[in-house]
């Protein structure tokens, strides 16, 4: 009762025990309830979530969770914690990174080579932590260059790289020993701005920055 040999398939017994089915690797993973390992966000997005609901990517386990994650996906434009599946609306479900305590700036596609402008990674990480109600952003022992996020501003006080605005509360930037954030020479801005220094005031609460050199 063995079926014809088909490339890249495995045999699984039929539910009625009358023979075997040639099953794809995704079907086998679904049968065994095991995670698939992928190496790119594109591959994670392309997974068939009816068969693969767990995945290893970027050093962490990811789970496809049902629910409305549209606000999370909209805030996390660097796809550090939330990745929309290609075939599924983010109002229905989303790939979610599983982690303990702190989020890592490298998850948000920061490079930390002292040359690449990583400012968008920092600001996106702050935005998604805001959606989550706060948290810790871990900065590993690398040198992160940041540029001006508001270059059109006339006043120096309206030009910033990393910005905490109203609502960006209860967030800590925690650096490892040897971690550095520095302003690119061309930026002409404030490196980290908490609130706004001009006539339009902003209310920001419980911000902590520690460990950076």
């Amino acid at each position: 009762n063995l079926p014809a040999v088909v490339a890249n398939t495995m045999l699984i017994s039929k539910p009625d025990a009358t023979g075997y089915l040639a099953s794809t690797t995704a079907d086998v993973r679904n049968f065994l309830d095991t995670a698939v390992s992928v190496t790119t966000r594109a591959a994670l997005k392309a997974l068939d979530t009816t068969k693969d609901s767990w995945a290893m990517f970027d050093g962490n386990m990811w789970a496809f969770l049902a629910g409305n994650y549209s606000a999370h996906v909209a805030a996390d434009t660097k796809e550090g914690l939330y990745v929309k599946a290609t075939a599924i609306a983010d109002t229905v479900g989303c790939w979610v990174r599983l982690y303990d305590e702190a989020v890592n700036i490298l998850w948000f596609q920061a490079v930390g080579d002292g040359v690449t402008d990583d400012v968008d990674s920092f600001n996106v990480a702050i935005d998604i932590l805001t959606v989550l109600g706060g948290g810790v952003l871990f900065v590993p022992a690398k040198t992160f260059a940041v540029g001006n996020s508001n270059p059109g501003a006339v006043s120096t006080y309206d030009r910033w790289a990393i910005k905490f605005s109203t609502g960006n509360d209860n967030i800590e930037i925690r650096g490892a020993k040897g971690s550095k954030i520095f302003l690119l020479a061309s930026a002409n801005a404030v490196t980290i701005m908490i609130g706004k220094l001009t006539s339009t005031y902003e209310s920001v609460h419980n911000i902590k920055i520690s460990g950076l050199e």
Side-chain angles (χ1 to χ4, degrees):
N1 293 325
L2 294 179
V5 176
V6 179
N8 298 317
T9 63
M10 298 180 69
L11 297 182
I12 295 179
S13 62
K14 294 180 179 179
D16 60 4
T18 59
Y20 295 88
L21 296 172
S23 301
T24 65
T25 52
D27 288 326
V28 173
R29 286 194 301 269
N30 184 45
F31 178 76
L32 298 175
D33 196 25
T34 58
V36 60
S37 180
V38 296
T39 58
T40 66
R41 284 177 173 80
L44 181 64
K45 295 175 183 180
L47 290 175
D48 181 350
T49 57
T50 64
K51 297 177 181 178
D52 287 308
S53 57
W54 299 91
M56 281 295 299
F57 169 62
D58 196 30
N60 286 91
M61 184 70 76
W62 293 68
F64 186 82
L65 301 180
N68 186 348
Y69 286 92
S70 56
H72 301 73
V73 170
D76 191 3
T77 57
K78 290 291 186 178
E79 300 177 323
L81 301 183
Y82 300 92
V83 173
K84 179 191 173 298
T86 300
I88 306 292
D90 54 22
T91 55
V92 174
C94 179
W95 285 104
V96 180
R97 187 191 293 263
L98 307 181
Y99 63 95
D100 293 324
E101 188 187 5
V103 305
N104 192 316
I105 189 61
L106 296 180
W107 297 348
F108 297 88
Q109 305 181 50
V111 179
D113 61 2
V115 177
T116 304
D117 186 351
D118 289 321
V119 71
D120 287 344
S121 298
F122 279 93
N123 287 321
V124 168
I126 289 170
D127 286 344
I128 193 60
L129 284 174
T130 299
V131 172
L132 296 175
V136 177
L137 176 60
F138 176 72
V139 181
K142 289 176 172 285
T143 299
F144 296 88
V146 292
N148 190 346
S149 294
N150 195 26
V154 175
S155 170
T156 301
Y157 296 112
D158 283 331
R159 294 195 292 267
W160 56 77
I162 300 168
K163 176 76 157 46
F164 290 91
S165 301
T166 299
N168 296 144
D169 301 328
N170 307 312
I171 295 173
E172 176 185 354
I173 296 179
R174 182 186 300 168
K177 183 178 180 180
S179 59
K180 301 177 181 178
I181 300 175
F182 79 94
L183 194 67
L184 289 168
S186 60
N188 187 26
V190 178
T191 306
I192 301 177
M193 181 177 287
I194 301 175
K196 197 172 183 181
L197 302 180
T198 56
S199 58
T200 305
Y201 296 103
E202 296 180 344
S203 178
V204 186
H205 305 277
N206 196 25
I207 302 300
K208 182 178 180 180
I209 299 173
S210 64
L212 298 173
E213 294 186 0

